Amino acid sequence: MRTSMAMVAATLALLPFAAQAHSPGEHASVQVAQAQTAAPPAAAAAGGAWFPSKYGPNDTIGAMNLLTPQKVLEAVKLVTQGRVYALGVPVGRDTPAYPPRFATVTVMMPDQFAGSIVPSENKVSYADDMFTGWLGVGSQLDSFAHLGIDNTFYNGNKAADFMHTTGVTKLGIEAIPPMVSRGVLVDMARARNKPVLEEGEIITADDLRKAMQEQGVEVRQGDVFLIHTGWVTMLERDPARFGKGEPGIDVGAAEFLAGLGVVAVGADTWGVEAVPFKNPNRVWEGHQVLLAKNGIHILEVMDTRALARDQAKEFLFVLGQPRLKGAVQAIINPIAIR
């Protein structure tokens, strides 16, 4: 039964968005340019064996192994202005999400009916809140337990061995180390000279290489790679359109990014990949390449507007996700600092 429920949940997670799920560059060094235009040597092959992981048969943190103290010190040196950017969006009852996902907050004042207070000389009043919903709503982090290939997840872990309705016993959100690293932003909207890319508009590996060269974006091992498409503006302008499709990368771009040795790939869209899919019979292949084959986390609905407006191409990226035991996703608010 546990396996059946996991399969049902996985199927639901791959459904397209509903309009509303609930009422309620040029300056880069020659060496870097050559590295970024070469074939991705570190990425898992598109076909054939993709496990055990290059980090060992028992590894559970994937590319996060690259986040060494030296990498953190490198990233901290990027802070020269003291500017802080919140990359998460507010999440509420009306945030578009995959059906049947939703998120609600209910506020209560326990045992304080009709204006009564907590028995005390200092007349204490307090409120508590209860969260009801799914953890894959709004700005979110995907763990390696979120998506796999034929019920096999990162490093060959079989769903039947660790996937339970009460929570996963491996690859859960709580076991992901803090993500403190150098972040980079590639502005694909600026690269295509338009404020917002269209739904279904594909970003290929060649597109990324060109934009990186033009914008002087140098990617180093262990970086967090963010893509700005302008799509996040639809959350406010047209929520229904936001949820029906999105611009994004294709599988070749995912393989290219994996080859660069990044620890996470994110975008200002709800799924990072282009939807509608170019081939409707092949869905979420980018997720499979990043999460399952290469142990690279995915960051969705990142609010990259301010970073793009300031043409920030590198920054300190900080994420300490809620350590929800057994969860496969988490609502997050990463911080970029320059």
Side-chain angles (χ1 to χ4, degrees), residues 87-145:
L87 301 178
V89 301
V91 176
R93 295 172 182 264
D94 297 326
T95 304
Y98 281 119
R101 299 181 195 172
F102 64 90
T104 63
V105 173
T106 303
V107 176
M108 299 165 284
M109 297 184 71
D111 300 322
Q112 299 165 77
F113 306 107
S116 64
I117 60 175
V118 177
S120 58
E121 291 182 0
N122 54 322
K123 299 182 179 180
V124 170
S125 298
Y126 77 96
D128 273 350
D129 44 16
M130 179 175 66
F131 176 83
T132 306
W134 301 64
L135 299 175
V137 179
S139 300
Q140 60 196 270
L141 166 68
D142 287 351
S143 81
F144 304 149

Side-chain angles (χ1 to χ4, degrees), residues 155-218:
N155 215 0
N157 287 284
K158 305 295 184 180
D161 296 332
F162 76 101
M163 192 79 65
H164 309 287
T165 55
T166 52
V168 295
T169 56
K170 187 181 287 190
L171 307 180
I173 284 289
E174 80 280 7
I176 300 175
M179 196 179 294
V180 180
S181 189
R182 175 177 179 266
V184 297
L185 178 74
V186 172
D187 189 342
M188 288 306 305
R190 176 156 61 101
R192 294 188 176 173
N193 196 29
K194 56 169 77 172
V196 183
L197 272 60
E198 304 292 328
E199 47 269 269
E201 190 169 346
I202 295 173
I203 300 169
T204 67
D206 285 342
D207 293 330
L208 290 175
R209 290 189 186 97
K210 181 180 179 181
M212 289 160 63
Q213 184 176 19
E214 291 175 346
Q215 297 172 19
V217 177
E218 172 191 342

Side-chain angles (χ1 to χ4, degrees), residues 4 15 18 22 58 77 82 90 102 108 118-119 133 142 155 158 171 211 214 229 238 273 288 294 303 322 334:
S4 299
L15 291 174
H22 194 266
N58 298 315
K77 292 176 182 177
F102 64 90
M108 299 165 284
V118 177
D142 287 351
N155 215 0
K158 305 295 184 180
L171 307 180
E214 291 175 346
T229 70
D238 192 342
E273 301 182 55
Q288 292 179 321
N294 288 284
D303 192 347

Side-chain angles (χ1 to χ4, degrees), residues 9-333:
T11 301
L12 288 171
L14 296 177
L15 291 174
F17 260 60
Q20 287 284 69
H22 194 266
S23 61
E26 287 175 355
H27 307 293
S29 68
V30 173
Q31 182 179 5
V32 170
Q34 290 174 341
Q36 293 173 350
T37 55
W50 49 274
F51 58 87
S53 166
K54 61 184 178 182
Y55 300 109
N58 298 315
D59 179 69
T60 59
I61 64 171
M64 295 291 282
N65 282 285
L66 301 174
L67 294 190
T68 63
Q70 291 75 22
K71 184 66 181 180
V72 175
L73 291 174
E74 170 197 339
V76 169
K77 292 176 182 177
L78 297 173
V79 180
T80 60
Q81 303 175 21
R83 304 193 66 174
V84 178
Y85 303 79
L87 301 178
V89 301
V91 176
R93 295 172 182 264
D94 297 326
T95 304
Y98 281 119
R101 299 181 195 172
F102 64 90
T104 63
V105 173
T106 303
V107 176
M108 299 165 284
M109 297 184 71
D111 300 322
Q112 299 165 77
F113 306 107
S116 64
I117 60 175
V118 177
S120 58
E121 291 182 0
N122 54 322
K123 299 182 179 180
V124 170
S125 298
Y126 77 96
D128 273 350
D129 44 16
M130 179 175 66
F131 176 83
T132 306
W134 301 64
L135 299 175
V137 179
S139 300
Q140 60 196 270
L141 166 68
D142 287 351
S143 81
F144 304 149
H146 176 52
L147 191 142
I149 303 171
D150 194 19
N151 276 322
T152 302
F153 294 74
Y154 173 69
N155 215 0
N157 287 284
K158 305 295 184 180
D161 296 332
F162 76 101
M163 192 79 65
H164 309 287
T165 55
T166 52
V168 295
T169 56
K170 187 181 287 190
L171 307 180
I173 284 289
E174 80 280 7
I176 300 175
M179 196 179 294
V180 180
S181 189
R182 175 177 179 266
V184 297
L185 178 74
V186 172
D187 189 342
M188 288 306 305
R190 176 156 61 101
R192 294 188 176 173
N193 196 29
K194 56 169 77 172
V196 183
L197 272 60
E198 304 292 328
E199 47 269 269
E201 190 169 346
I202 295 173
I203 300 169
T204 67
D206 285 342
D207 293 330
L208 290 175
R209 290 189 186 97
K210 181 180 179 181
M212 289 160 63
Q213 184 176 19
E214 291 175 346
Q215 297 172 19
V217 177
E218 172 191 342
V219 178
R220 303 169 188 164
Q221 184 172 272
D223 285 352
V224 172
F225 191 100
L226 301 182
I227 302 170
H228 176 75
T229 70
W231 194 249
V232 69
T233 60
M234 291 297 167
L235 265 178
E236 299 161 1
R237 293 167 49 194
D238 192 342
R241 183 181 174 190
F242 177 87
K244 288 180 179 178
E246 62 177 0
I249 63 174
D250 62 6
V251 65
E255 291 168 348
F256 167 67
L257 291 172
L260 295 179
V262 298
V263 298
V265 173
D268 60 343
T269 62
W270 48 264
V272 178
E273 301 182 55
V275 178
F277 299 101
K278 184 176 181 180
N279 182 346
N281 295 314
R282 301 188 70 85
V283 303
W284 304 119
E285 287 188 280
H287 276 60
Q288 292 179 321
V289 167
L290 295 171
L291 294 171
K293 293 184 177 183
N294 288 284
I296 296 171
H297 290 292
I298 294 177
L299 306 165
E300 297 168 339
V301 197
M302 296 289 96
D303 192 347
T304 53
R305 287 176 290 187
L307 283 173
R309 183 170 57 247
D310 292 348
Q311 295 191 13
K313 59 184 180 181
E314 62 177 353
F315 42 86
L316 170 65
F317 180 95
V318 181
L319 170 62
Q321 79 285 356
R323 303 188 70 182
L324 297 167
K325 191 172 182 178
V328 303
Q329 295 169 295
I331 298 171
I332 58 172
N333 179 32

